[in-house]
Amino acid sequence: MSDYNNTHSNNTNDDLYDDDYITYEETNDDDYIDDDVLDLELDDFDIYRQNHSTNKKSSLNKQKPKLNPFVEEALSIIKLIAVAFIIAFIFTQYIIVNAEVPTGSMKNTIMEGDRLIGFRLSYLFSKPERGDVIIFKYPDDEKQNFVKRVIGIPGDVVQIIHGKVYVNGNELDEPYLREPMNDNEEEQVFVVPEGHYFVMGDNRNDSLDSRYWKTSNYVSEKKILAKVIFRYYNQSRHKINFKLFN
């Protein structure tokens, strides 16, 4: 009897524990989300999104007031003029010299009133050579720009004897002269210093050049603005006329 009771008692307890025993996983309170709270949060997010979308659309729909067509056209012209002015300023200050010759000191190579283009970068990697036509600051008044031909380079000995020019003892061949130079029966000798140049006009009998300057008889290399590249306007013909210079 006791065996039965014990056996029955053990089976009953085992069945009870097997049926009623439930295993629970540990749950962190922080991971638990109340459905009601989640619904409220989603509702708030929907309202925020709708408001944000509405504000964005309203901001996009706000357009700047259109200007008067005449004002817009005027502004575009002003911008164009400003850009052209800036480009021209940079070009003329750093690349070219646009010069008008006011006198006839370079006749017949360059006539009075001719307009020339000089290239500022010609001597960036080289030195002026004998025969070059250059634009430079006039030593006696640097507010003025002169145009002359290089006759003597640094180290040269230039002699003017009976209307002839000699460089280092050799008579200079000058086919560009307008006419023979007057013989003033006075010999002139110039020794060109380093970094300087002796220049003369092609119209020797009517040219204020290195022979007559008071401040210095030579042009400093630092005062040379450009080498003359071409003439684009001929005053004697009153028209556009191109002539290249070597």
Side-chain angles (χ1 to χ4, degrees), residues 35-53:
D35 289 344
D36 293 337
V37 174
L38 181 61
D39 289 341
L40 288 173
E41 290 180 351
L42 290 175
D43 290 342
D44 291 340
F45 177 75
D46 289 339
I47 293 171
Y48 169 77
R49 185 176 61 183
Q50 291 175 2
N51 291 338
H52 182 71
S53 176

Side-chain angles (χ1 to χ4, degrees), residues 51-64:
N51 291 338
H52 182 71
S53 176
T54 303
N55 292 335
K56 187 175 182 180
K57 289 180 180 179
S58 62
S59 64
L60 290 175
N61 290 332
K62 290 181 180 179
Q63 298 181 354
K64 294 182 179 180

Side-chain angles (χ1 to χ4, degrees), residues 101-107 109-110 116 123 129-139 145-151 176 197-204 206-213 219 224 226-228 245:
V101 180
T103 70
S105 66
M106 285 293 292
K107 288 180 178 179
T109 305
I110 301 171
L116 314 170
Y123 301 125
E129 297 179 356
R130 193 179 298 111
D132 288 355
V133 178
I134 61 172
I135 302 172
F136 58 93
K137 294 291 184 182
Y138 173 38
N145 295 337
F146 271 22
V147 177
K148 304 292 180 185
R149 188 181 296 275
V150 175
I151 301 299
Y176 41 75
Y197 296 85
F198 186 88
V199 299
M200 300 175 74
D202 289 355
N203 185 9
R204 294 288 163 79
D206 188 17
S207 175
L208 178 60
D209 51 40
S210 287
R211 294 170 292 172
Y212 307 114
W213 297 337
V219 179
I224 296 176
K227 177 183 178 181
V228 175
F245 292 87

Side-chain angles (χ1 to χ4, degrees), residues 14 16 25 33 42 49 58-59 68 70 85 155 159 219 227 231:
D14 291 340
L16 176 62
E25 295 181 358
I33 302 176
L42 290 175
R49 185 176 61 183
S58 62
S59 64
N68 185 292
F70 176 78
F85 177 80
Q159 296 172 283
V219 179
K227 177 183 178 181
R231 177 191 67 200

Side-chain angles (χ1 to χ4, degrees), residues 2-20:
S2 61
D3 293 337
Y4 172 79
N5 290 334
N6 291 333
T7 302
H8 183 71
S9 174
N10 291 334
N11 291 339
T12 303
N13 289 335
D14 291 340
D15 292 341
L16 176 62
Y17 290 141
D18 288 341
D19 292 340
D20 295 340

Side-chain angles (χ1 to χ4, degrees), residues 162-164 174 177-183 202-206:
H162 300 300
K164 302 288 184 181
E174 300 185 281
L177 292 183
R178 182 186 186 192
E179 60 188 9
M181 185 166 43
N182 294 335
D183 181 5
D202 289 355
N203 185 9
R204 294 288 163 79
N205 298 320
D206 188 17

